[in-house]
Amino acid sequence: QVQLVESGGGLVQAGGSLRLSCAASGRTFSDYSMGWFRQAPGKEREFVAAISRSGGSANYADSVKGRFTISRDNAKNTVYLQIDTLKPEDTATYYCAATLRSIVTMTTVRTVEVWGQGTLVTVSS
């Protein structure tokens, strides 16, 4: 199976931007629908965004639509999450996720087959 390593988290002021990256290795990257989830302290892990194997389709949680953009580069085995207009409530550990299933199934943690280790995003007000 694929292995995932996230990077790009950090401390940023509200209104700022970050780009998270997730590098994949192992099995063929383009076999996987990819996504991002996040988990804030004391809360359950929640879906953020997902992208299809080709990169032609993407889904977003309602809470991030218009501010977050997911993309992928299959030649570089990498998926990205561009986060704009950051809010304090975006503070969380962000996890890269992969599934061999369709993108439409990737809205709950139960559908994820592979997780990265997470990268922490902290937004100060």
Side-chain angles (χ1 to χ4, degrees):
Q1 65 180 16
V2 69
Q3 291 81 46
L4 306 174
V5 178
E6 302 97 331
S7 60
L11 175 63
V12 63
Q13 289 188 331
S17 297
L18 276 177
R19 188 175 81 157
L20 307 182
S21 299
C22 172
S25 61
R27 183 171 171 164
T28 303
F29 179 64
S30 58
D31 285 347
Y32 290 86
S33 299
M34 299 297 298
W36 290 91
F37 288 68
R38 67 183 180 185
Q39 188 167 18
K43 295 188 177 181
E44 293 186 351
R45 195 170 299 188
E46 64 176 2
F47 168 73
V48 172
I51 190 166
S52 63
R53 298 176 186 89
S54 67
S57 299
N59 292 335
Y60 296 92
D62 288 342
S63 59
V64 306
K65 282 181 181 176
R67 297 190 300 119
F68 288 28
T69 304
I70 188 171
S71 62
R72 67 189 293 165
D73 185 337
N74 285 347
K76 295 183 178 180
N77 293 346
T78 303
V79 62
Y80 305 97
L81 187 68
Q82 177 68 38
I83 310 175
D84 297 319
T85 319
L86 277 155
K87 303 176 181 180
E89 52 264 41
D90 294 321
T91 294
T93 298
Y94 284 72
Y95 294 91
C96 182
T99 181
L100 291 171
R101 301 183 179 96
S102 167
I103 179 180
V104 296
T105 69
M106 201 172 198
T107 57
T108 70
V109 297
R110 290 174 295 178
T111 64
V112 174
E113 296 164 15
V114 183
W115 292 101
Q117 84 288 351
T119 186
L120 179 62
V121 173
T122 304
V123 184
S124 63
S125 57

